[in-house]
Amino acid sequence: MRPTKACPVVLRHLGQPAILVFEHPLAGIQLVKGSIESGESPERAALRELAEESGLVAIGATQPLGIWESGFDEQVWSFHLCELADPPADSWTFHTGDGGGLDFRFFWHLLESKPSPDWHWVYRNALAFIRSRIEGR
């Protein structure tokens, strides 16, 4: 199974583990994710997407968390745990070039917390996949 999308996973461990998510102004709460370009490795795509969508730069290599068939638009996602040089703020807004220029509001979601109805169903399922991979490590 060849992945078509890369999803960088950023975790924060201040008390309970939390995962980086953002609120898309038109499409609800999501994880960072984007297309793998021709000739690009899934790992490289995850790092690029993290920088493009959040402004964050990961250090070192990412750890693969697995490949997942999303059940949405024939997308196959490749998940990669990313480490940051410096811990980001509790929340921030990043202006991205996506969709002609959008503001994404980033924040931390407790890994074990139930997603709100504001989450798109595919991202709820992706979160469940990530949880299963993190707990199995």
Side-chain angles (χ1 to χ4, degrees):
M1 177 169 29
R2 185 172 177 86
T4 58
K5 302 291 181 181
C7 183
V9 176
V10 178
L11 299 177
R12 178 170 88 166
H13 299 278
L14 297 176
Q16 294 181 327
I19 187 168
L20 181 66
V21 299
F22 71 94
E23 184 174 13
H24 188 290
L26 306 173
I29 297 174
Q30 302 183 9
L31 302 166
V32 174
K33 171 199 56 83
S35 294
I36 300 170
E37 296 176 357
S38 178
E40 185 177 42
S41 71
E43 296 84 2
R44 180 70 201 126
L47 297 174
R48 178 182 51 74
E49 288 294 337
L50 182 63
E52 288 177 2
E53 292 191 4
S54 71
L56 298 176
V57 177
I59 59 169
T62 61
Q63 297 178 7
L65 293 176
I67 296 174
W68 175 67
E69 288 186 74
S70 70
F72 178 76
D73 203 22
E74 298 183 17
Q75 295 177 3
V76 177
W77 297 17
S78 179
F79 293 90
H80 302 273
L81 188 59
C82 298
E83 290 188 47
L84 305 176
D86 298 308
D90 288 338
S91 64
W92 71 95
T93 299
F94 185 77
H95 185 77
T96 181
D98 287 4
L102 296 171
D103 288 333
F104 291 168
R105 186 181 64 83
F106 283 85
F107 59 98
W108 299 94
H109 175 82
L110 291 178
L111 196 55
E112 293 305 318
S113 292
K114 182 178 178 181
S116 73
D118 294 333
W119 286 60
H120 185 283
W121 66 266
V122 76
Y123 291 97
R124 281 189 221 126
N125 293 344
L127 180 62
F129 177 84
I130 291 167
R131 284 179 181 150
S132 73
R133 301 306 263 200
I134 299 285
E135 291 168 0
R137 301 174 83 219

